[in-house]
Amino acid sequence: PDRQQRIEAIAKDYVARPENTLIVSPDNASRRDINDAVRAELQNSGALSKENYPMTILTQRSELTSADRNWAALYQPADVLYYTRGSKELGIDRGTYATVVSTNPKDNQLTVERQDNHHVTYNPERLHGIAAYREIVREFSEGDRIQFTVSRPDMDMKNRDLGTIERIEGTSMSVRMDGEKERILTFDSSQMRHFDHGYAVTSHSSQGLTTDRVLVNMDTTAHPELINTRFAYVSVSRASQDARIYTNDMSTLSERLSTDISKASAVEVSRLNSEVQSQQPTSKEQTMTNTYEQSREEQRRQSRQEVQNPANDHGQAQNAIDLRHYAPIQSALPIEANGYDWKRETGDIQSYQHNQSGGWLHIDSQPQFYDRLAQPISREQALEHANHFVAHTGNENAVTQSPTKVGNGDEQGISI
């Protein structure tokens, strides 16, 4: 139950058998604490050099959605911005960095310092293709495990790749990369700063990784969106031989992990949808709100008014964000969208969760449906994954869920 004792127990378990072992934790805060605990155990045991080299790395501001990045008020001085597209007008080249100097929320203006030390001021709403980072100092030693956090084709390196530090000389770092093929990657850590300790990773970063042994930190006090069947499935399935779960509360954990395993076949979804359509009245039902049906010109006009009216900045900005977030599901499911709450934005894909069934839908503005790995799927497949059955009778809504199925053919089927 004690968080610090649990982290120390995970660290000791890792150090007892570090080969082909990975730790998975739900959030970045616990991931960092576990990494620090593992390094301390390794240094105390003599398995890791005690000579630490402080390095300034970049950690992504993942809380900023693509809509948030349109508003100067949400940036902070010293934020480091990476431009995937750039701007000829502003003299910002593609693939370069700049540092935020100041913000002007009233006029929605952002002032940044380019790599050539020149200052540029612009409206962030007019410049897209930006990733925001913060600088953080971390200590690394020869023998440390690290994980890269971006893809660099020029270095033959992919996001989430793992490796072990072989040598550190000044800012030069040589890393022996994981994989069947022996490979040493050498780079300047003052220029390529997208890496972090790699003993513990989040479940999101662990996707695609496989190892012999996995230690999973399942803290039920974490955010409800982080501890669920999907987290358990992804983290436990990383192991080929041994998976060990550390938790603060077994009974609460089992409840949290059994909330979203109900599923139905695509045939059942198709049959129920046909029955629903045949029973629906001919009159068109009212949509959730008219603000979701604005034209693009009306949206642009509203955005300009928001900038000009500081008193309503917060409320108007929220309306614009709501518009962006809910438009895809309103377009894809004009009748059945009730009950879905927006949760997050990944690129152009909006994610929604039903407030009763707990099922998820992922939709872009086309509207195209996606699975949890951002792969395009059909409407029927998406509704199946979301446990979505909504029948309208008159002015009443009835939600019907399929019986719970847990079996070998169910990718979400897992029991604790």
Side-chain angles (χ1 to χ4, degrees), residues 343-403:
K343 292 298 182 181
R344 65 175 62 91
E345 181 175 45
T346 306
D348 295 327
I349 303 174
Q350 308 293 340
S351 295
Y352 312 87
Q353 186 177 31
H354 199 279
N355 54 30
Q356 292 185 21
S357 69
W360 286 80
L361 288 174
H362 312 281
I363 315 171
D364 67 13
S365 58
Q366 295 308 312
Q368 168 66 53
F369 291 87
Y370 296 84
D371 63 14
R372 61 185 178 85
L373 299 179
Q375 298 299 316
I377 58 177
S378 67
R379 181 180 188 273
E380 290 73 19
Q381 289 174 311
L383 296 179
E384 176 189 357
H385 287 307
N387 315 318
H388 176 103
F389 301 103
V390 181
H392 296 274
T393 306
N395 292 325
E396 295 179 311
N397 295 336
V399 178
T400 305
Q401 295 185 358
S402 66

Side-chain angles (χ1 to χ4, degrees), residues 35-263:
N35 276 324
D36 291 342
V38 170
R39 292 191 75 250
E41 284 289 330
L42 289 171
Q43 288 182 328
N44 290 337
S45 68
L48 180 66
S49 170
K50 292 186 178 182
E51 185 175 3
N52 292 317
Y53 296 84
M55 299 182 184
T56 303
I57 64 172
L58 296 177
T59 178
Q60 190 167 19
R61 290 194 60 190
S62 55
E63 78 278 10
L64 285 183
T65 67
S66 59
D68 293 338
R69 291 193 288 271
N70 290 331
W71 303 97
L74 299 179
Y75 291 90
Q76 298 176 5
D79 279 352
V80 177
L81 307 183
Y82 177 73
Y83 298 88
T84 58
R85 300 180 186 176
S87 169
K88 291 184 179 179
E89 179 184 354
L90 299 174
I92 298 176
D93 294 332
R94 176 182 179 183
T96 59
Y97 296 83
T99 303
V100 175
V101 176
S102 62
T103 63
N104 181 354
K106 180 179 178 180
D107 298 326
N108 200 35
Q109 295 288 311
L110 194 66
T111 300
V112 301
E113 182 179 291
R114 300 184 316 207
Q115 290 176 302
D116 60 4
N117 299 324
H118 283 80
H119 288 197
V120 176
T121 300
Y122 65 90
N123 183 337
E125 190 177 11
R126 301 181 181 278
L127 185 58
H128 300 285
I130 297 174
Y133 299 89
R134 286 197 180 102
E135 293 183 330
I136 295 181
V137 177
R138 292 267 197 274
E139 291 186 338
F140 295 88
S141 302
E142 292 181 352
D144 256 330
R145 294 281 292 163
I146 65 172
Q147 182 179 46
F148 293 96
T149 54
V150 295
S151 294
R152 287 286 299 271
D154 59 318
M155 297 173 61
D156 191 18
M157 180 188 73
K158 296 180 180 179
N159 186 21
R160 305 172 187 169
D161 276 356
L162 292 165
T164 303
I165 299 176
E166 293 267 297
R167 180 177 54 84
I168 300 176
E169 291 184 357
T171 60
S172 177
M173 180 184 292
S174 295
V175 178
R176 176 168 44 84
M177 304 296 292
D178 287 4
E180 297 179 358
K181 184 180 179 180
E182 185 76 18
R183 183 165 65 95
I184 301 295
L185 179 64
T186 301
F187 60 92
D188 187 341
S189 61
S190 67
Q191 300 298 319
M192 211 303 292
R193 299 187 289 167
H194 298 276
F195 60 93
D196 203 347
H197 296 120
Y199 303 102
V201 300
T202 63
S203 61
H204 177 73
S205 295
S206 72
Q207 295 185 45
L209 301 177
T210 57
T211 188
D212 292 346
R213 193 170 75 118
V214 169
L215 311 178
V216 188
N217 175 39
M218 293 191 181
D219 190 337
T220 62
T221 63
H223 194 283
E225 290 184 24
L226 298 178
I227 300 294
N228 50 35
T229 302
R230 181 181 302 174
F231 169 75
Y233 171 75
V234 171
S235 57
V236 172
S237 62
R238 299 309 93 194
S240 61
Q241 298 179 11
D242 182 18
R244 303 187 179 192
I245 296 175
Y246 288 81
T247 185
N248 58 307
D249 189 332
M250 283 288 291
S251 60
T252 304
L253 179 65
S254 62
E255 294 174 3
R256 292 280 293 275
L257 299 185
S258 60
T259 56
D260 56 345
I261 59 175
S262 296
K263 281 191 158 189

Side-chain angles (χ1 to χ4, degrees), residues 298-318:
E298 289 171 333
Q299 295 174 33
R300 287 193 290 268
R301 189 182 307 116
Q302 179 179 339
S303 298
R304 288 195 294 269
Q305 292 173 350
E306 292 165 4
V307 173
Q308 296 169 1
N309 190 354
N312 294 328
D313 273 354
H314 180 74
Q316 297 292 342
Q318 187 59 50

